[in-house]
């Protein structure tokens, strides 16, 4: 999955979406990549593509396709 600007979504990316929610990308269903604590098999029946975002206020949020509202705040492999 890519962001609206064309950049690749990566595990651990900090993002904003949905009018100010912030969270962390914890699973990419398209590539079957996920962080160790994520229970991937629990979601494969309903989440066939896209990403799962863990948020402090909203719990888990699934985005099934790229949306202009999903904006990268901080790259997972970035020091800053």
């Amino acid at each position: 999955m890519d962001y609206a600007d064309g950049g690749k979504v990566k595990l651990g990316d900090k993002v904003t979406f949905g009018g100010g929610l912030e969270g962390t990308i914890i699973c990419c269903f398209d590539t079957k990549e996920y962080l160790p604590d994520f229970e991937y098999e629990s979601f494969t029946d309903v989440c066939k593509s896209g990403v799962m975002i863990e948020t402090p206020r909203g719990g888990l949020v699934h985005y099934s396709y790229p949306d202009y509202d999903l904006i990268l705040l901080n790259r997972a492999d970035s020091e800053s």
Side-chain angles (χ1 to χ4, degrees), residues 10-37:
K10 293 185 179 182
L11 290 181
D13 283 355
K14 304 291 186 206
V15 297
T16 183
F17 62 98
L21 282 175
E22 292 185 9
T24 303
I25 303 291
I26 61 169
C27 177
C28 296
F29 290 101
D30 299 331
T31 60
K32 297 178 177 56
E33 296 176 292
Y34 52 93
L35 296 181
D37 291 341

Side-chain angles (χ1 to χ4, degrees), residues 10 38 41 59-60 64 66-67 76 78:
K10 293 185 179 182
F38 182 67
E41 297 299 324
L60 296 177
S64 57
D67 189 299
S78 173

Side-chain angles (χ1 to χ4, degrees), residues 21-78:
L21 282 175
E22 292 185 9
T24 303
I25 303 291
I26 61 169
C27 177
C28 296
F29 290 101
D30 299 331
T31 60
K32 297 178 177 56
E33 296 176 292
Y34 52 93
L35 296 181
D37 291 341
F38 182 67
E39 296 178 9
Y40 178 78
E41 297 299 324
S42 299
F43 292 91
T44 56
D45 286 344
V46 290
C47 301
K48 303 295 183 192
S49 64
V51 297
M52 187 68 75
I53 306 166
E54 183 174 48
T55 68
R57 294 187 328 198
L60 296 177
V61 177
H62 177 239
Y63 260 65
S64 57
Y65 54 88
D67 189 299
Y68 72 91
D69 202 29
L70 183 63
I71 300 168
L72 175 65
L73 294 176
N74 190 17
R75 179 60 76 187
D77 56 7
S78 173

